[in-house]
Amino acid sequence: MSQRKIIHIDCDCFYAAVEMRDDPSLRDVPLAVGGDGGRGVVTTCNYKARAFGVRSAMPGSEARRLCPGLVTVPPDMARYRAVSQQVMAILREMTDLVEPLSLDEAFLDVTDVSDCRGSATLMARKLRARILEEVGITVSAGVAPNKFLAKIASDWQKPDGLFVVRPEDVDAFVMELPVEKLFGVGEVTAKKLYGLGIKTCGDIRALAPEVMIDRFGKQGYRLYEMAHGRDERSVVVSRVAKSVSVERTFSQDLPDRAACETVMASLVDDLTHRLTRKGRKKPIHKLFVKVRYSDFSTHTLERVREHIELPALDDYLPLFRELVAEGDRPVRLLGMGVRFRNDDAPVTQLRLFD
């Protein structure tokens, strides 16, 4: 069996990062999202606020006591969800094997991905750079042979960090790990472990597995396995890909429709590469194009095209020309993609009466 390559991507202080991106005046102040008013609780805070001891889930009153200059903004979940979707879409361009854990973190299994010469480290670097450039926030990444180690690694050099645990480094890496770093070890379990004189994974490894199972039941065996750097959990994909798309944001706006059309050929090439790389045999149902103008207004157009195996530039040009009727509006972003037919959905029309 080939050695698994898992990447864990974790957005740095996600809600606060989105707020600082959208309002540059918030970048140089200690910032908390949530925690306003008498009973509010801090949802996320930036690293300037963390330096004062402010933490998520802390009552706003305590946060302001620790950090008198704290600036608070109310959470805007709809905006964070939209940014999260952007991040996840970039991850899914690398592989379909993406398991989101929340709005701001996900596991990727890149074992069989050939991009970046098959190097998971280079893939993580590429994903971090793309998210910074296209979404405008930083993410930290951990690369390791399993989920447990990848998640710990992504936290190792936060913020804006990349840490790699190579298979040959696993033993040395876990020996010194504090037990609190283990998945599922909260205050209560940590206290119990400390009571047994167990502070690191090395201490757990010195024991027979029966001792751990006797004291902690099923969890004891899991802790014993993790202390040896083992975690067989697979990356679980909960959604079937319904579409594939590519898009490009331009550092300088494209001046007009003609300029857009010259760029479209390379976008179609990217799309073809993605469709063939993933070895999909799903039938295409629709083609779509997307345009964002310099004023940030975004428009999409899709049309049913059932009998196309791999779309070419000539398949997209008519849609693009229909969407961009005015030829001289500057374009900031250009995208295109396909939607697949859902063969699992019932295709027969249901009768109203039996």
Side-chain angles (χ1 to χ4, degrees):
M1 190 175 132
S2 65
Q3 176 67 64
R4 286 200 302 162
K5 298 174 191 172
I6 307 294
I7 301 174
H8 181 253
I9 294 283
D10 193 3
C11 302
D12 301 318
C13 60
F14 180 54
Y15 300 170
V18 175
E19 295 296 344
M20 291 188 293
R21 178 197 74 172
D22 295 347
D23 180 354
S25 73
L26 298 174
R27 287 177 194 170
D28 299 316
V29 297
L31 172 71
V33 176
D36 201 10
R39 296 187 161 193
V41 168
V42 173
T43 319
T44 313
C45 58
N46 67 1
Y47 287 89
K48 281 193 165 58
R50 287 178 198 197
F52 287 88
V54 178
R55 294 283 175 271
S56 54
M58 180 181 275
S61 53
E62 191 185 339
R64 280 187 292 280
R65 186 178 57 73
L66 289 170
C67 178
L70 189 69
V71 175
T72 55
V73 296
D76 181 348
M77 293 312 296
R79 194 155 40 112
Y80 308 148
R81 269 192 293 272
V83 175
S84 171
Q85 283 167 0
Q86 260 185 298
V87 171
M88 297 301 168
I90 290 171
L91 303 185
R92 289 191 180 101
E93 282 189 38
M94 185 66 76
T95 173
D96 281 342
L97 297 177
V98 175
E99 177 184 350
L101 300 179
S102 59
L103 287 183
D104 61 344
E105 58 173 323
F107 285 115
L108 293 79
D109 186 331
V110 295
T111 311
D112 299 319
V113 175
S114 56
D115 259 22
C116 302
R117 305 196 299 279
S119 161
T121 304
L122 294 179
M123 290 179 221
R125 223 174 262 165
K126 180 177 177 178
L127 290 169
R128 292 180 63 238
R130 275 199 64 189
I131 291 165
L132 180 60
E133 185 187 346
E134 296 174 31
V135 186
I137 61 170
T138 64
V139 302
S140 294
V143 178
N146 60 47
K147 288 167 86 168
F148 147 64
L149 289 171
K151 188 160 168 52
I152 289 175
S154 69
D155 200 37
W156 214 246
Q157 293 185 343
K158 263 186 166 295
D160 196 17
L162 167 62
F163 191 78
V164 181
V165 181
R166 297 176 305 174
E168 61 268 31
D169 301 334
V170 168
D171 263 353
F173 182 73
V174 289
M175 280 301 271
E176 300 301 318
L177 265 188
V179 290
E180 293 90 337
K181 291 281 187 187
L182 295 180
F183 176 68
V185 174
E187 262 180 63
V188 177
T189 309
K191 218 175 201 169
K192 277 190 200 169
L193 288 163
Y194 273 33
L196 298 170
I198 297 168
K199 293 187 172 173
T200 67
C201 286
D203 296 336
I204 294 177
R205 290 168 72 135
L207 301 172
E210 297 79 41
V211 176
M212 291 296 291
I213 293 164
D214 188 42
R215 291 297 173 103
F216 297 96
K218 221 187 255 175
Q219 189 195 14
Y221 181 69
R222 207 174 66 233
L223 295 176
Y224 182 82
E225 285 290 285
M226 284 193 284
H228 285 77
R230 297 191 285 261
D231 176 15
E232 294 306 316
R233 292 174 303 152
S234 54
V235 169
V236 181
V237 182
S238 55
R239 74 198 262 297
V240 178
K242 297 173 183 167
S243 64
V244 168
S245 62
V246 292
E247 55 183 49
R248 206 171 289 163
T249 304
F250 305 102
S251 48
Q252 285 187 306
D253 295 340
L254 297 177
D256 52 26
R257 193 163 80 175
C260 292
E261 291 185 8
T262 59
V263 172
M264 283 178 70
S266 71
L267 273 171
V268 173
D269 282 348
D270 288 352
L271 183 63
T272 304
H273 174 64
R274 287 204 56 215
L275 288 167
T276 50
R277 185 187 73 206
K278 295 192 172 180
R280 275 204 183 78
K281 294 288 177 274
K282 279 188 189 170
I284 288 172
H285 176 51
K286 288 179 174 177
L287 304 185
F288 63 88
V289 289
K290 173 180 171 183
V291 169
R292 181 170 297 144
Y293 292 109
S294 55
D295 62 1
F296 284 88
S297 61
T298 306
H299 304 267
T300 55
L301 175 75
E302 52 184 72
R303 292 281 179 262
V304 175
R305 296 286 185 270
E306 291 276 8
H307 305 295
I308 291 173
E309 288 282 316
L310 265 181
L313 177 61
D314 287 347
D315 297 310
Y316 280 105
L317 280 173
L319 271 75
F320 174 73
R321 287 169 183 162
E322 186 180 343
L323 179 65
V324 183
E326 302 166 45
D328 55 358
R329 279 184 77 181
V331 168
R332 177 184 172 77
L333 174 146
L334 197 52
M336 58 181 61
V338 303
R339 299 200 196 286
F340 300 116
R341 197 168 72 222
N342 181 6
D343 285 338
D344 300 330
V347 287
T348 52
Q349 188 170 346
L350 300 175
R351 304 229 311 262
L352 189 54
F353 302 105
D354 247 356

Short mmCIF file of all heavy atoms in Angstrom, two decimals, residues 254-294:
data_model
loop_
_atom_site.label_atom_id
_atom_site.label_comp_id
_atom_site.label_asym_id
_atom_site.label_seq_id
_atom_site.Cartn_x
_atom_site.Cartn_y
_atom_site.Cartn_z
N LEU A 254 -8.80 43.26 -17.21
CA LEU A 254 -8.76 43.13 -18.68
C LEU A 254 -9.63 44.24 -19.26
O LEU A 254 -10.77 44.42 -18.82
CB LEU A 254 -9.28 41.76 -19.11
CG LEU A 254 -8.47 40.55 -18.61
CD1 LEU A 254 -9.13 39.25 -19.03
CD2 LEU A 254 -7.04 40.61 -19.13
N PRO A 255 -9.13 45.00 -20.24
CA PRO A 255 -9.84 46.22 -20.65
C PRO A 255 -11.17 45.98 -21.36
O PRO A 255 -12.08 46.79 -21.25
CB PRO A 255 -8.84 46.89 -21.60
CG PRO A 255 -7.91 45.81 -22.04
CD PRO A 255 -7.83 44.83 -20.93
N ASP A 256 -11.30 44.85 -22.10
CA ASP A 256 -12.52 44.69 -22.90
C ASP A 256 -12.76 43.22 -23.24
O ASP A 256 -12.01 42.34 -22.83
CB ASP A 256 -12.42 45.52 -24.19
CG ASP A 256 -11.12 45.22 -24.95
OD1 ASP A 256 -10.58 44.10 -24.79
OD2 ASP A 256 -10.64 46.10 -25.69
N ARG A 257 -13.82 43.00 -24.01
CA ARG A 257 -14.23 41.64 -24.36
C ARG A 257 -13.16 40.92 -25.18
O ARG A 257 -12.89 39.74 -24.96
CB ARG A 257 -15.55 41.69 -25.14
CG ARG A 257 -16.19 40.33 -25.28
CD ARG A 257 -17.64 40.44 -25.67
NE ARG A 257 -17.78 40.68 -27.11
CZ ARG A 257 -18.95 40.71 -27.73
NH1 ARG A 257 -20.07 40.59 -27.04
NH2 ARG A 257 -19.01 40.92 -29.02
N ALA A 258 -12.53 41.63 -26.10
CA ALA A 258 -11.51 41.01 -26.96
C ALA A 258 -10.35 40.48 -26.11
O ALA A 258 -9.86 39.37 -26.32
CB ALA A 258 -10.99 42.03 -27.96
N ALA A 259 -9.94 41.25 -25.10
CA ALA A 259 -8.84 40.81 -24.22
C ALA A 259 -9.25 39.56 -23.46
O ALA A 259 -8.46 38.64 -23.28
CB ALA A 259 -8.48 41.93 -23.25
N CYS A 260 -10.52 39.52 -23.03
CA CYS A 260 -11.02 38.34 -22.31
C CYS A 260 -10.94 37.10 -23.20
O CYS A 260 -10.53 36.02 -22.76
CB CYS A 260 -12.47 38.55 -21.87
SG CYS A 260 -12.67 39.79 -20.59
N GLU A 261 -11.33 37.28 -24.46
CA GLU A 261 -11.36 36.12 -25.37
C GLU A 261 -9.97 35.56 -25.62
O GLU A 261 -9.80 34.36 -25.82
CB GLU A 261 -12.08 36.49 -26.68
CG GLU A 261 -13.57 36.72 -26.45
CD GLU A 261 -14.36 36.97 -27.74
OE1 GLU A 261 -13.78 36.83 -28.84
OE2 GLU A 261 -15.56 37.30 -27.62
N THR A 262 -8.96 36.41 -25.58
CA THR A 262 -7.59 35.89 -25.78
C THR A 262 -7.14 35.06 -24.57
O THR A 262 -6.35 34.14 -24.71
CB THR A 262 -6.57 37.03 -26.00
OG1 THR A 262 -6.59 37.88 -24.86
CG2 THR A 262 -6.86 37.81 -27.24
N VAL A 263 -7.68 35.38 -23.37
CA VAL A 263 -7.29 34.65 -22.16
C VAL A 263 -8.07 33.33 -22.03
O VAL A 263 -7.63 32.39 -21.37
CB VAL A 263 -7.57 35.55 -20.92
CG1 VAL A 263 -7.37 34.79 -19.63
CG2 VAL A 263 -6.65 36.77 -20.95
N MET A 264 -9.24 33.27 -22.68
CA MET A 264 -10.13 32.13 -22.47
C MET A 264 -9.50 30.80 -22.90
O MET A 264 -9.76 29.76 -22.29
CB MET A 264 -11.46 32.35 -23.20
CG MET A 264 -12.37 33.31 -22.45
SD MET A 264 -13.92 33.63 -23.32
CE MET A 264 -14.76 32.07 -23.16
N ALA A 265 -8.65 30.82 -23.92
CA ALA A 265 -8.05 29.57 -24.40
C ALA A 265 -7.26 28.87 -23.29
O ALA A 265 -7.38 27.66 -23.09
CB ALA A 265 -7.15 29.84 -25.60
N SER A 266 -6.49 29.67 -22.52
CA SER A 266 -5.69 29.04 -21.46
C SER A 266 -6.58 28.56 -20.31
O SER A 266 -6.29 27.57 -19.65
CB SER A 266 -4.61 29.99 -20.94
OG SER A 266 -5.18 31.02 -20.21
N LEU A 267 -7.70 29.25 -20.07
CA LEU A 267 -8.65 28.79 -19.05
C LEU A 267 -9.27 27.45 -19.45
O LEU A 267 -9.43 26.56 -18.63
CB LEU A 267 -9.75 29.84 -18.84
CG LEU A 267 -9.47 30.95 -17.82
CD1 LEU A 267 -10.54 32.02 -17.90
CD2 LEU A 267 -9.40 30.41 -16.41
N VAL A 268 -9.62 27.34 -20.74
CA VAL A 268 -10.19 26.07 -21.24
C VAL A 268 -9.16 24.95 -21.08
O VAL A 268 -9.50 23.82 -20.69
CB VAL A 268 -10.65 26.19 -22.71
CG1 VAL A 268 -11.08 24.85 -23.26
CG2 VAL A 268 -11.82 27.18 -22.81
N ASP A 269 -7.89 25.25 -21.34
CA ASP A 269 -6.82 24.25 -21.14
C ASP A 269 -6.77 23.80 -19.69
O ASP A 269 -6.66 22.60 -19.41
CB ASP A 269 -5.45 24.84 -21.51
CG ASP A 269 -5.24 24.87 -23.02
OD1 ASP A 269 -6.05 24.24 -23.74
OD2 ASP A 269 -4.28 25.53 -23.49
N ASP A 270 -6.85 24.76 -18.76
CA ASP A 270 -6.84 24.41 -17.33
C ASP A 270 -8.02 23.51 -16.98
O ASP A 270 -7.88 22.54 -16.23
CB ASP A 270 -6.94 25.68 -16.46
CG ASP A 270 -5.65 26.50 -16.48
OD1 ASP A 270 -4.65 26.00 -17.03
OD2 ASP A 270 -5.66 27.62 -15.95
N LEU A 271 -9.18 23.86 -17.52
CA LEU A 271 -10.38 23.09 -17.23
C LEU A 271 -10.25 21.66 -17.78
O LEU A 271 -10.57 20.68 -17.10
CB LEU A 271 -11.61 23.79 -17.85
CG LEU A 271 -12.96 23.12 -17.59
CD1 LEU A 271 -13.29 23.13 -16.09
CD2 LEU A 271 -14.06 23.83 -18.37
N THR A 272 -9.74 21.54 -19.01
CA THR A 272 -9.54 20.22 -19.62
C THR A 272 -8.60 19.39 -18.76
O THR A 272 -8.84 18.20 -18.50
CB THR A 272 -8.94 20.37 -21.04
OG1 THR A 272 -9.82 21.21 -21.79
CG2 THR A 272 -8.80 19.04 -21.73
N HIS A 273 -7.54 20.03 -18.28
CA HIS A 273 -6.55 19.34 -17.43
C HIS A 273 -7.23 18.81 -16.17
O HIS A 273 -7.02 17.67 -15.76
CB HIS A 273 -5.43 20.32 -17.08
CG HIS A 273 -4.44 19.77 -16.10
ND1 HIS A 273 -3.64 18.68 -16.39
CD2 HIS A 273 -4.12 20.14 -14.82
CE1 HIS A 273 -2.89 18.41 -15.33
NE2 HIS A 273 -3.15 19.28 -14.37
N ARG A 274 -8.06 19.64 -15.56
CA ARG A 274 -8.75 19.21 -14.33
C ARG A 274 -9.71 18.07 -14.60
O ARG A 274 -9.81 17.12 -13.82
CB ARG A 274 -9.51 20.38 -13.71
CG ARG A 274 -8.60 21.40 -13.06
CD ARG A 274 -9.34 22.18 -12.01
NE ARG A 274 -9.93 21.32 -11.03
CZ ARG A 274 -11.09 21.52 -10.41
NH1 ARG A 274 -11.79 22.59 -10.69
NH2 ARG A 274 -11.55 20.68 -9.53
N LEU A 275 -10.46 18.17 -15.70
CA LEU A 275 -11.44 17.13 -16.01
C LEU A 275 -10.76 15.79 -16.33
O LEU A 275 -11.25 14.74 -15.92
CB LEU A 275 -12.32 17.57 -17.19
CG LEU A 275 -13.33 18.67 -16.88
CD1 LEU A 275 -13.93 19.25 -18.16
CD2 LEU A 275 -14.45 18.15 -15.99
N THR A 276 -9.65 15.85 -17.03
CA THR A 276 -8.99 14.59 -17.40
C THR A 276 -8.17 14.04 -16.24
O THR A 276 -8.11 12.83 -16.05
CB THR A 276 -8.07 14.78 -18.63
OG1 THR A 276 -7.23 15.92 -18.40
CG2 THR A 276 -8.88 15.01 -19.89
N ARG A 277 -7.57 14.94 -15.44
CA ARG A 277 -6.75 14.48 -14.33
C ARG A 277 -7.58 13.69 -13.32
O ARG A 277 -7.14 12.71 -12.75
CB ARG A 277 -6.12 15.68 -13.61
CG ARG A 277 -5.15 15.28 -12.51
CD ARG A 277 -4.68 16.49 -11.73
NE ARG A 277 -5.74 16.98 -10.85
CZ ARG A 277 -5.82 18.23 -10.43
NH1 ARG A 277 -4.95 19.12 -10.84
NH2 ARG A 277 -6.79 18.61 -9.64
N LYS A 278 -8.81 14.13 -13.12
CA LYS A 278 -9.64 13.45 -12.13
C LYS A 278 -10.28 12.19 -12.69
O LYS A 278 -11.02 11.49 -12.01
CB LYS A 278 -10.72 14.41 -11.62
CG LYS A 278 -10.08 15.56 -10.86
CD LYS A 278 -11.07 16.37 -10.12
CE LYS A 278 -10.34 17.38 -9.23
NZ LYS A 278 -11.26 18.21 -8.48
N GLY A 279 -10.02 11.91 -13.98
CA GLY A 279 -10.49 10.67 -14.58
C GLY A 279 -12.00 10.53 -14.53
O GLY A 279 -12.54 9.44 -14.41
N ARG A 280 -12.69 11.65 -14.60
CA ARG A 280 -14.14 11.58 -14.48
C ARG A 280 -14.79 11.00 -15.72
O ARG A 280 -14.44 11.33 -16.83
CB ARG A 280 -14.69 12.99 -14.29
CG ARG A 280 -14.67 13.41 -12.86
CD ARG A 280 -15.73 14.47 -12.68
NE ARG A 280 -15.67 14.94 -11.31
CZ ARG A 280 -14.77 15.78 -10.90
NH1 ARG A 280 -13.88 16.24 -11.71
NH2 ARG A 280 -14.77 16.19 -9.64
N LYS A 281 -15.79 10.18 -15.49
CA LYS A 281 -16.57 9.67 -16.62
C LYS A 281 -18.01 10.17 -16.52
O LYS A 281 -18.89 9.65 -17.13
CB LYS A 281 -16.54 8.13 -16.62
CG LYS A 281 -15.15 7.55 -16.90
CD LYS A 281 -14.74 7.74 -18.37
CE LYS A 281 -13.34 7.24 -18.64
NZ LYS A 281 -12.31 8.26 -18.34
N LYS A 282 -18.22 11.17 -15.64
CA LYS A 282 -19.59 11.65 -15.46
C LYS A 282 -20.04 12.42 -16.69
O LYS A 282 -19.27 13.21 -17.24
CB LYS A 282 -19.63 12.61 -14.27
CG LYS A 282 -19.69 11.94 -12.93
CD LYS A 282 -19.91 13.04 -11.92
CE LYS A 282 -19.78 12.55 -10.51
NZ LYS A 282 -19.77 13.68 -9.60
N PRO A 283 -21.29 12.23 -17.09
CA PRO A 283 -21.78 12.98 -18.25
C PRO A 283 -21.98 14.47 -17.91
O PRO A 283 -22.50 14.80 -16.84
CB PRO A 283 -23.11 12.32 -18.58
CG PRO A 283 -23.46 11.46 -17.43
CD PRO A 283 -22.26 11.27 -16.57
N ILE A 284 -21.56 15.33 -18.82
CA ILE A 284 -21.72 16.78 -18.63
C ILE A 284 -23.17 17.16 -18.94
O ILE A 284 -23.75 16.68 -19.92
CB ILE A 284 -20.73 17.54 -19.54
CG1 ILE A 284 -19.31 17.37 -18.98
CG2 ILE A 284 -21.10 19.02 -19.65
CD1 ILE A 284 -18.21 17.92 -19.87
N HIS A 285 -23.72 18.01 -18.09
CA HIS A 285 -25.10 18.46 -18.28
C HIS A 285 -25.15 19.91 -18.76
O HIS A 285 -25.91 20.25 -19.67
CB HIS A 285 -25.86 18.31 -16.95
CG HIS A 285 -27.27 18.82 -16.99
ND1 HIS A 285 -28.17 18.46 -17.95
CD2 HIS A 285 -27.93 19.69 -16.16
CE1 HIS A 285 -29.33 19.08 -17.73
NE2 HIS A 285 -29.21 19.83 -16.66
N LYS A 286 -24.31 20.76 -18.16
CA LYS A 286 -24.33 22.19 -18.52
C LYS A 286 -22.92 22.75 -18.60
O LYS A 286 -22.01 22.25 -17.95
CB LYS A 286 -25.07 23.00 -17.43
CG LYS A 286 -26.57 22.80 -17.38
CD LYS A 286 -27.15 23.62 -16.25
CE LYS A 286 -28.67 23.56 -16.26
NZ LYS A 286 -29.25 24.31 -15.12
N LEU A 287 -22.78 23.82 -19.38
CA LEU A 287 -21.57 24.63 -19.36
C LEU A 287 -21.93 25.99 -18.76
O LEU A 287 -23.06 26.46 -18.92
CB LEU A 287 -21.03 24.87 -20.78
CG LEU A 287 -20.73 23.65 -21.65
CD1 LEU A 287 -20.09 24.11 -22.96
CD2 LEU A 287 -19.83 22.66 -20.95
N PHE A 288 -20.98 26.61 -18.07
CA PHE A 288 -21.27 27.97 -17.56
C PHE A 288 -20.04 28.85 -17.64
O PHE A 288 -18.91 28.37 -17.64
CB PHE A 288 -21.84 27.92 -16.13
CG PHE A 288 -20.91 27.37 -15.09
CD1 PHE A 288 -20.01 28.18 -14.41
CD2 PHE A 288 -20.93 26.00 -14.77
CE1 PHE A 288 -19.16 27.67 -13.45
CE2 PHE A 288 -20.08 25.48 -13.81
CZ PHE A 288 -19.19 26.32 -13.14
N VAL A 289 -20.29 30.16 -17.74
CA VAL A 289 -19.21 31.15 -17.69
C VAL A 289 -19.55 32.17 -16.60
O VAL A 289 -20.72 32.38 -16.28
CB VAL A 289 -19.01 31.89 -19.04
CG1 VAL A 289 -18.42 30.96 -20.08
CG2 VAL A 289 -20.30 32.51 -19.54
N LYS A 290 -18.49 32.77 -16.06
CA LYS A 290 -18.66 33.72 -14.95
C LYS A 290 -17.76 34.92 -15.22
O LYS A 290 -16.61 34.76 -15.62
CB LYS A 290 -18.26 33.02 -13.65
CG LYS A 290 -18.20 33.91 -12.42
CD LYS A 290 -17.80 33.05 -11.22
CE LYS A 290 -17.50 33.86 -9.99
NZ LYS A 290 -17.06 33.02 -8.87
N VAL A 291 -18.29 36.10 -14.98
CA VAL A 291 -17.51 37.33 -15.18
C VAL A 291 -17.70 38.23 -13.96
O VAL A 291 -18.84 38.42 -13.50
CB VAL A 291 -17.97 38.08 -16.46
CG1 VAL A 291 -17.35 39.47 -16.51
CG2 VAL A 291 -17.59 37.31 -17.70
N ARG A 292 -16.60 38.77 -13.44
CA ARG A 292 -16.71 39.81 -12.41
C ARG A 292 -16.07 41.07 -12.97
O ARG A 292 -14.91 41.04 -13.40
CB ARG A 292 -16.00 39.38 -11.12
CG ARG A 292 -16.11 40.42 -10.00
CD ARG A 292 -15.62 39.88 -8.67
NE ARG A 292 -16.43 38.76 -8.24
CZ ARG A 292 -15.94 37.70 -7.58
NH1 ARG A 292 -14.66 37.62 -7.29
NH2 ARG A 292 -16.74 36.71 -7.24
N TYR A 293 -16.85 42.15 -12.98
CA TYR A 293 -16.35 43.41 -13.54
C TYR A 293 -15.52 44.18 -12.51
O TYR A 293 -15.47 43.81 -11.33
CB TYR A 293 -17.52 44.25 -14.04
CG TYR A 293 -18.22 43.65 -15.24
CD1 TYR A 293 -19.49 43.11 -15.13
CD2 TYR A 293 -17.58 43.61 -16.49
CE1 TYR A 293 -20.13 42.54 -16.24
CE2 TYR A 293 -18.21 43.05 -17.59
CZ TYR A 293 -19.48 42.52 -17.46
OH TYR A 293 -20.10 41.95 -18.55
N SER A 294 -14.92 45.27 -12.95
CA SER A 294 -14.05 46.05 -12.06
C SER A 294 -14.83 46.66 -10.89
O SER A 294 -14.27 46.99 -9.87
CB SER A 294 -13.34 47.16 -12.85
OG SER A 294 -14.31 47.95 -13.52
#
